[in-house]
Amino acid sequence: MHTIVVFGASGQLGQCLQKLAREQNLEQINFLSSQQANILDVDTLQKVFAEYKPAYCINCAAYTAVDKAEDEAEQAMKLNRDGVSNLSRLCREQDATLIHISTDFVFSGSHHLPLTESEDTLPINVYGESKLAGEKAVVALTQKHFIIRTSWLYSEYGNNFVKTMLRLGKEREQLKVIWDQVGSPTYAMDLATCILSIIKSKTSQYGLYHYSNEGVASWYDFAQAIFELSRMAVKVTPVRSAEYLTKARRPAYSVMDKSKIKRTLGIAIPYWKHSLQTCINRLYISTDDK
């Protein structure tokens, strides 16, 4: 494999990539946290490129606090647009391929059929706007790129919906969870596997792709599955979004069509409940080890 640099390596996806690299003995992958290589710091980025001379850069660095972004629009735009611009320029100058992670939040949520890559984008919150701006920067600044939109990311690492539900399930007998927001949960380990598969294939079919696990769920469905698969006796009550107001609006429907990535890049995608079971099993194993 070619030399690879992962930016934002301390996040969920970055840690999943690190786990896969260890399991597969991939010594060519270099992992840099945002503290080691802030994508807003051009001087540091230039030093990273000079030292590693990467053939591929995987950008996992992002401002992801959806509600806080409503009050911190400038910070969100800086990281998700300007930082991505910095990486894109350097990738073009150094002839490196950029793999950039984006989100289903670039869509309005007003659709009722799975969204293709050619569907019109219309973000309804600052986070979505900043991520769409990052996508546009990649397209404008470097030709050798893969933009991968994903959704509802979870894993054994970091803070995410699965770990929050498991924690709350131990503290409470009843929970209220939104049922009128529909999407596709994505196991970050599956996404990491997809990214490494793209690199290993050496494909030059650059462009925008959708990747989430197969299937459709509401947050209520997702929570129910978490408790069923982990055998926790928690009563989950479905509620409307209007009963659980948040600073930022969320898309009501953001199920993405994955036909392109399967057809063009030959990527196999697991069903969301199967991957959820894998993650829960691993979480319990790691807890038992402690």
Side-chain angles (χ1 to χ4, degrees):
M1 287 181 67
H2 299 291
T3 301
I4 303 163
V5 173
V6 179
F7 294 92
S10 58
Q12 276 196 88
L13 182 56
Q15 291 188 69
C16 288
L17 285 164
Q18 290 186 61
K19 187 175 189 296
L20 288 179
R22 289 193 299 270
E23 292 175 350
Q24 300 177 23
N25 295 314
L26 303 178
E27 298 178 356
Q28 306 93 325
I29 307 184
N30 305 278
F31 296 94
L32 301 175
S33 68
S34 296
Q35 288 71 37
Q36 293 171 302
N38 188 328
I39 61 173
L40 291 172
D41 186 342
V42 176
D43 290 341
T44 298
L45 291 182
Q46 288 174 335
K47 291 175 183 175
V48 168
F49 275 78
E51 179 180 355
Y52 295 107
K53 297 179 175 57
Y56 289 86
C57 290
I58 303 173
N59 182 35
C60 302
Y63 184 110
T64 58
V66 178
D67 288 317
K68 282 181 68 178
E70 296 298 306
D71 295 320
E72 299 180 352
E74 186 177 351
Q75 292 95 311
M77 278 293 179
K78 278 185 177 179
L79 195 55
N80 292 345
R81 179 194 61 201
D82 301 345
V84 173
S85 297
N86 294 337
L87 268 183
S88 300
R89 289 191 190 92
L90 280 165
C91 282
R92 182 191 65 215
E93 292 170 7
Q94 303 298 323
D95 196 33
T97 298
L98 176 61
I99 299 178
H100 175 65
I101 309 304
S102 192
T103 175
D104 60 324
F105 275 33
V106 299
F107 296 111
S108 67
S110 60
H111 306 79
H112 301 286
L113 293 172
L115 298 143
T116 66
E117 289 81 355
S118 61
E119 201 75 50
D120 289 340
T121 52
L122 185 63
I124 57 174
N125 57 44
V126 171
Y127 168 69
E129 290 172 358
S130 69
K131 291 297 287 183
L132 181 59
E135 288 186 12
K136 291 178 177 178
V138 173
V139 173
L141 294 169
T142 183
Q143 186 266 329
K144 294 173 67 173
H145 69 260
F146 296 92
I147 298 171
I148 303 176
R149 289 178 183 151
T150 192
S151 61
W152 298 23
L153 209 62
Y154 70 91
S155 69
E156 302 93 304
Y157 308 105
N159 298 314
N160 56 67
F161 186 76
V162 171
K163 292 174 73 175
T164 298
M165 288 297 104
L166 291 174
R167 175 177 57 79
L168 291 176
K170 292 177 182 177
E171 300 171 357
R172 307 178 193 175
E173 295 180 355
Q174 299 185 37
L175 290 171
K176 294 181 179 180
V177 181
I178 291 168
W179 68 265
D180 59 355
Q181 291 176 21
V182 178
S184 299
T186 307
Y187 184 28
M189 198 65 73
D190 291 339
L191 178 56
T193 301
C194 167
I195 292 168
L196 292 182
S197 296
I198 291 171
I199 293 173
K200 289 175 182 177
S201 74
K202 300 180 181 179
T203 181
S204 58
Q205 296 290 325
Y206 306 120
L208 171 64
Y209 294 91
H210 287 172
Y211 183 96
S212 61
N213 281 129
E214 296 283 24
V216 178
S218 68
W219 289 108
Y220 168 77
D221 297 324
F222 195 7
Q224 283 279 36
I226 291 166
F227 296 129
E228 288 171 8
L229 294 175
S230 57
R231 300 180 182 178
M232 297 178 72
V234 180
K235 177 178 173 56
V236 184
T237 302
V239 297
R240 290 183 176 274
S241 301
E243 298 177 56
Y244 188 79
L245 295 177
T246 55
K247 192 90 173 180
R249 292 172 61 204
R250 266 75 168 172
Y253 182 92
S254 61
V255 178
M256 295 186 295
D257 187 310
K258 280 86 66 174
S259 300
K260 181 181 176 183
I261 200 167
K262 291 187 286 187
R263 180 183 66 250
T264 307
L265 303 181
I267 300 296
I269 305 178
Y271 176 53
W272 74 269
K273 279 191 179 180
H274 295 164
S275 291
L276 176 59
Q277 182 70 79
T278 299
C279 180
I280 288 172
N281 290 346
R282 289 174 174 171
L283 279 167
Y284 280 121
I285 289 170
S286 64
T287 301
D288 291 343
D289 289 344
K290 293 175 183 176

